Amino acid sequence: MTDRKATLSVGDKSIELPVYSGTVGPDVIDVRGLVQEGVFTYDPGFVSTAACESAITYIDGANGVLLHRGYPIEQLADQSDYLEVCYLLLNGELPSPEENQRFHETIKNHTMLHDQMRNFFNGFRRDAHPMAIMCGVVGALSAFYHDQMDVTDDEQRQITAHRLIAKMPTIAAWCYKYSIGQPFMYPRNDLSYAENFLHMMFGVPCEEYKPNPVLAKAMDKIFILHADHEQNASTSTVRLAGSTGANPYACIASGIAALWGPAHGGANEAVLDMLAEIGDESNIDEFIAKAKDKNDPFRLMGFGHRVYKNFDPRAKVMAETAHEVLTELGLENDPLLKIAQRLEKIALEDEYFVKRQLYPNVDFYSGIILKAIGIPTSMFTVIFAMSRTIGWFSHWNEMVSGDYRIGRPRQLYTGSPKRDYPAK
Ligand code: SDX
């Protein structure tokens, strides 16, 4: 922290506020002292608000840069794997080969669920949205590990991280199996993290499932690209829930709930629904016009971002992966991909989108890959939640292992002034 100051004039008052600089990125003005001056800052949607200090992820939206503990997302997607990225996000450094091997083994040994958890699934209708099931089952994990919930104990936080990383694929795959009336598949320790997920999703007890290595690599890349993203809406939800001292499983469940919205993690499902609704390249102009019409709530799903005012670096990697997967499956002429590619080209040339710096985001191509692999659209955000669990947990862990206060924003009150209850 430095001794630099910003001066704010409010009425006849001149208020001096500390200014801090991070490693990189915008400086921040510490406005905590304003409440003593009788004024609040006003920032609905937190467009210009740094809610915390963090060392986990850095985004430079103007230049399309995303770093996890300093490492560019493109390099991690190309050279690492999801479990190594989990270790990096959680611990701050890449593991040594021995640490990496030990971490992979640890995660394998936590992939099973307590067998009584099967009953939670049975309480849902078969046609329940998988996100509703995941939200309920993950929240219920807190009922099974209550004895290891001392958030001040680093060792208990570590084992909770291992349990969440390991169990989310099992829960996610079981959400899918439950929805199609197929038996749950138990995890296999001879498979990689991504292979195991595909096995639990598409395997059946009647025969051995042999994961396609190209699809498993694509899944692992999707997990890496969705792992963390600074103080996005769902991560901020997890931090706020965690600031009350709530147990980590309940906090992660709050993140799942926040991610579900179509403006956030639900966008990948909404992209596929949009492409299906467009149906043919000849209809694209009509939908571009709808997206630009202020009187029409329709937005081009998979485009735009609160922070990226340039290409989302994850979208570029995702577009390459989409091509690899569709070629592997002989779907390179997939009509949805053709519509998506043409939509992207038109949008990037259209003045409305260019002026507002609306580029494809991480959700634009991910759905095309997942659909090609055979995953239903209702499962897309479940996979996003599974991957983002490490990001949510790492931010929660960073907060509770340091100094923090309960999050309690204020407001601009525009309701009725004091008035008396009418005499009877
Ligand atoms: C994720 O925060 C994160 O990091 C999120 C995420 C992560 O990894 O956690 O990156 C994941 O959520 C990606 C975003 C997925 N959502 C979508 O693809 C849904 C479609 N996108 C929009 O809803 C929107 O772009 C947001 C929600 C992503 C961003 O909203 P903002 O920052 O509040 O921007 P805005 O709504 O103020 O839009 C600015 C202008 C407006 O027009 P004007 O009022 O200035 O005339 O751009 C327009 C908007 O109408 N606009 C769009 C648009 N997105 C913004 N117009 C048409 N189509 C769009 N997609």
Side-chain angles (χ1 to χ4, degrees), residues 5-60:
K5 300 283 185 202
T7 304
L8 185 63
S9 296
V10 181
D12 56 359
K13 271 189 186 178
S14 178
I15 304 166
E16 285 218 324
L17 299 166
V19 174
Y20 310 133
S21 297
T23 317
V24 286
D27 288 346
V28 297
I29 299 172
D30 184 344
V31 295
R32 284 175 287 185
L34 281 184
V35 67
Q36 272 80 34
E37 306 291 343
V39 288
F40 298 145
T41 59
Y42 184 66
D43 186 12
F46 307 121
V47 179
S48 301
T49 293
C52 63
E53 177 183 338
S54 178
I56 299 173
T57 287
Y58 173 70
I59 302 173
D60 174 350

Side-chain angles (χ1 to χ4, degrees), residues 229 232-233 262-265 267 291 294 299-306 309 314 352-353 356 358 361-363 384 388:
H229 213 242
N232 57 85
H264 189 15
K294 287 297 156 216
R299 286 196 164 177
L300 221 45
M301 303 316 282
F303 277 81
H305 198 278
R306 171 60 58 76
K309 300 309 172 191
R314 303 168 296 176
Y352 172 93
F353 292 87
R356 290 167 179 79
L358 302 175
N361 58 49
V362 68
D363 293 300
F384 195 151
R388 184 56 57 89

Side-chain angles (χ1 to χ4, degrees), residues 3-281:
D3 56 2
R4 289 165 48 217
K5 300 283 185 202
T7 304
L8 185 63
S9 296
V10 181
D12 56 359
K13 271 189 186 178
S14 178
I15 304 166
E16 285 218 324
L17 299 166
V19 174
Y20 310 133
S21 297
T23 317
V24 286
D27 288 346
V28 297
I29 299 172
D30 184 344
V31 295
R32 284 175 287 185
L34 281 184
V35 67
Q36 272 80 34
E37 306 291 343
V39 288
F40 298 145
T41 59
Y42 184 66
D43 186 12
F46 307 121
V47 179
S48 301
T49 293
C52 63
E53 177 183 338
S54 178
I56 299 173
T57 287
Y58 173 70
I59 302 173
D60 174 350
N63 296 301
V65 171
L66 170 56
L67 307 178
H68 288 323
R69 301 288 190 177
Y71 295 99
I73 190 65
E74 299 88 341
Q75 293 179 23
L76 292 171
D78 185 40
Q79 300 169 52
S80 184
D81 71 22
Y82 176 68
L83 287 185
E84 186 180 61
V85 171
C86 287
Y87 185 99
L88 173 67
L89 289 169
L90 194 55
N91 300 300
E93 295 297 335
L94 286 168
S96 66
E98 297 72 28
E99 288 167 333
N100 203 18
Q101 173 64 28
R102 200 159 48 245
F103 187 71
H104 278 67
E105 287 309 312
T106 300
I107 297 305
K108 278 184 196 252
N109 294 330
H110 285 283
T111 50
M112 289 213 313
L113 301 183
H114 189 294
D115 218 40
Q116 265 183 256
M117 290 207 75
R118 303 165 67 96
N119 301 329
F120 287 115
F121 291 84
N122 295 328
F124 290 95
R125 287 173 27 166
R126 290 284 179 178
D127 63 352
H129 195 290
M131 279 297 281
I133 301 175
M134 176 176 253
C135 214
V137 173
V138 172
L141 282 173
S142 51
F144 282 81
Y145 299 107
H146 218 75
D147 60 323
Q148 289 162 39
M149 221 39 79
D150 175 0
V151 299
T152 64
D153 181 325
D154 181 53
E155 200 176 312
Q156 290 189 27
R157 293 203 302 271
Q158 282 294 318
I159 189 170
T160 301
H162 299 158
R163 282 178 168 143
L164 280 164
I165 296 167
K167 295 181 193 310
M168 287 304 270
T170 310
I171 292 171
W174 287 18
C175 288
Y176 172 60
K177 285 299 196 187
Y178 185 74
S179 73
I180 58 174
Q182 281 193 3
F184 294 145
M185 294 299 288
Y186 284 96
R188 275 175 43 187
N189 289 348
D190 61 320
L191 298 177
S192 74
Y193 192 85
E195 288 171 339
N196 200 16
F197 175 66
L198 291 174
H199 148 69
M200 292 189 284
M201 281 287 292
F202 300 118
V204 288
C206 326
E207 59 191 31
E208 188 191 355
Y209 178 78
K210 291 186 178 54
N212 177 318
V214 172
L215 303 190
K217 183 167 175 286
M219 275 315 309
D220 196 77
K221 207 164 273 193
I222 285 177
F223 295 153
I224 291 173
L225 294 172
H226 288 83
D228 188 51
H229 213 242
E230 199 215 63
Q231 306 308 324
N232 57 85
S234 53
T235 299
S236 299
T237 302
V238 171
R239 279 183 175 261
L240 193 55
S243 74
T244 70
N247 84 55
Y249 298 101
C251 295
I252 297 296
S254 74
I256 295 172
L259 186 75
W260 197 355
H264 189 15
N268 51 17
E269 179 177 353
V271 167
L272 259 288
D273 293 344
M274 174 186 74
L275 294 176
E277 192 184 355
I278 292 172
D280 184 275
E281 291 183 47

Side-chain angles (χ1 to χ4, degrees), residues 271-345:
V271 167
L272 259 288
D273 293 344
M274 174 186 74
L275 294 176
E277 192 184 355
I278 292 172
D280 184 275
E281 291 183 47
S282 61
N283 300 326
I284 287 176
D285 291 343
E286 175 202 337
F287 281 84
I288 294 273
K290 279 168 63 70
K292 291 154 63 171
D293 179 357
K294 287 297 156 216
N295 300 317
D296 189 327
F298 174 79
R299 286 196 164 177
L300 221 45
M301 303 316 282
F303 277 81
H305 198 278
R306 171 60 58 76
V307 179
Y308 289 122
K309 300 309 172 191
N310 195 316
F311 250 91
D312 180 337
R314 303 168 296 176
K316 283 185 181 173
V317 179
M318 207 65 89
E320 292 157 14
T321 306
H323 181 71
E324 288 162 12
V325 167
L326 293 172
T327 305
E328 168 70 15
L329 297 174
L331 298 172
E332 49 272 51
N333 294 317
D334 177 352
L336 289 183
L337 178 68
K338 294 291 173 214
I339 295 172
Q341 288 170 330
R342 187 143 155 65
L343 194 57
E344 177 184 353
K345 186 175 180 311

